[in-house]
Amino acid sequence: MFLAAESGSALSLDLSPVDLVLMIIYFSFVLGIGFALKRAVKSSLDFFLSGRSLPAWVTGIGFISANIGAVELLGQSASGAQYGAAMVHYFWIGAIPAMVFLGIVMMPFYYGSKVRSVPEYLRLRFDPKAHLINAITFVVGSMLIAGVNLYALSIVLEALLGIPLILAIVLAAVFVLSYILLGGLTSAIYNEVMQFFVVLIGMVPLTIIAIKETGGLGQLFDRLSADRGASFVEPWTGTGIGGSNPVGDWIGIILGLAFCLSFGYWTTNFAEVQRAMAAKDGNSARLTPIIGAYPKAFVPLITILPGMAALVLLPGIGTAGSGLEYNDAIPALMDKYLPPGVLGVAVTGLLAAFMAGMAANVSSFNAVFTYDLWQDYIRPGRSDQYYLRVGRWATVGGVAVAVATALIASGFSNISNYLQTLFSFFNVPLFCAFIIGMFWRRATRSAGFWGILVGTVTAITVYALYKFDVLAFRSDLQETMWGSIAAFAAGALAMVLASLREPRKTDAELHGLVYGMEIRDASDVAVRPWYRSPVVLGLGVLVLNAGLYVAVYAF
Amino acid sequence: MTSPEERPGEQGTDLLAKLFDIRSFTGALFLIFGVIVTIVGLTAGDADIRKSAGLNLALIIGPIMLALGALFIVWLLLRPPELLHGHEVTEEDLPEQLRHQGLEAIPEHPGEPGPEPPPPPRRRPTGH
């Protein structure tokens, strides 16, 4: 959708009055939630972590919904049209094992230690250097990416409703600002839950109709296979070394995409982990990403699949002169097939998804800014009410920066791609610091800083070598996979070397933070029925995943 | 974490607060959406039906949303929500390593005697 502005995509939706009414009702509910929750915010912990009070199904849906923004809905359907079925790897071998791992293995350290943010874990486990590098890059990154989300949302508003771009940016920003100011994280999460169901109701019928119109799944796959080769519809075909699968080779997929990139994103991104930290007890926190993993397993069916169907249903999409970018696949299909009423629900879901993406950035930004920068380094030792006020002002400031970024992005639309690339360099080294910090007690204070620094430099170096044609890869996707493997390996090596020349931390300093010293609360050690057991549910979703891979080959 | 049971008198006194559960919002939203879209479906013309592969999609989606909305409301009635109330931050809410560093304003919290010497760092907090 970012690309739409560049090419002047001509897509606009034909909305009827009833569609607009549905949209207005939805957004009144969004504001209503903010006002209703105002009275539940009494402390900074209520504002930033929902007072650690939400049930697992709410945080679980929030967890997955925070991620169903611009990237998921439009980006993944665009990738489906561009790269084909192999994009499912990003879900089934990428995201889901990472979410299960976060829930079963890592969550006791995050939740049990009572850290209030992901950077705070680094501060306690390592030292302020590692903490600052993570807190600052996260704060800057989430503000800028909130701006990019805001810009994407405004393009949709402009294209679909004819609202001028600048007005759309300000309108959307004020909206997100007001409901987060009122209800804090709880407001953001409640909206994510509502949005999740609206997106579902909008996207599922679209997929069903798209498949029906192409003559069924078997026929669609046969046709695409004939046009573009078997590796376009079979995720593992051509993934040998030197093969033809556009996504890459199997080593890159398993080690790079699954282990480094996806684990890096899902287990260390505070915008996600924050939802689990808002859960009411240890077991609910562990269940959060696992409950989120079940719907996540089916997201490719409502994103990648319609993207692939669009190749048949919208002839010429993605080619010059058709007026349609790959990014337009979903809105264009909606316009073509959804009748009044249903179209309103679907477009509402789309807008809500963009808004939730931005709200997730803002609500995690203000927590890290307040706890990790303001409280730790600028004004420590004040009362909790003081930090609650700082958090509210930080929200205003963060949204203001996001508006500025969105306005800049509207002038230089490529900037958003560069931003996403830039901040992706930090993810894998961070994961390296976390996983080694959690499982190797011997890792010392400065190990975290050196691991993040060396890993990030390595990732940037591999990327630069690829851009200057020193290293060759099949696609940008394959480069990111191998770049992450290199970043992880270099980061791990740096951590080991740094640890060898320093004394280890004491057990008291590490209590709750490392393997073998987890703090588990009563909910987490009690006997639970199977449907509340993270391990059983986690294994269940992995089996489901394997079944989905098999199902793709059945067609 | 303070559970409602520990705050006698508060639970059930505030009817409005009880309504502020995510299930009541989602349920109400889908009931309204369901009614509107079902009506649209009942009045759908041939062109609308031809548009969506010969299905009267609004008449399928509308009732589904009605059912979903009803489901949330029934769930809400069967399992009334715990009150969502804000709570003050105490030392217990912080990581062990940070207690008695960031929260100097302990006397602000009613019922607590004020700053105490830090607990022995290794003592595990018992389940709460």
Side-chain angles (χ1 to χ4, degrees), chain A residues 210-291:
Chain A
I211 300 300
K212 190 162 180 262
E213 283 291 284
T214 54
L217 216 48
Q219 212 168 328
L220 172 66
F221 279 16
D222 288 346
R223 182 155 165 197
L224 290 174
S225 175
D227 285 354
R228 311 219 166 191
S231 63
F232 196 78
V233 295
E234 294 173 2
W236 287 107
T237 303
T239 55
I241 305 296
S244 62
N245 194 300
V247 166
D249 55 88
W250 64 274
I251 303 179
I253 291 173
I254 292 174
L255 267 184
L257 169 66
F259 182 68
C260 293
L261 277 175
S262 300
F263 276 61
Y265 175 81
W266 290 98
T267 63
T268 67
N269 184 349
F270 181 53
E272 295 295 337
V273 177
Q274 187 183 22
R275 269 98 196 123
M277 287 180 177
K280 64 181 177 184
D281 56 38
N283 197 52
S284 302
R286 297 182 67 197
L287 284 172
T288 296
I290 294 169
I291 288 174

Side-chain angles (χ1 to χ4, degrees), chain A residues 292-305:
Chain A
Y294 279 86
K296 181 75 177 171
F298 293 100
V299 170
L301 304 185
I302 58 169
T303 54
I304 296 174
L305 208 49

Side-chain angles (χ1 to χ4, degrees), chain B residues 77-94:
Chain B
L77 294 177
L78 288 180
R79 286 212 174 172
E82 290 178 19
L83 276 179
L84 246 196
H85 40 61
H87 81 292
E88 307 279 336
V89 178
T90 64
E91 295 268 297
E92 287 284 285
D93 292 319
L94 294 175

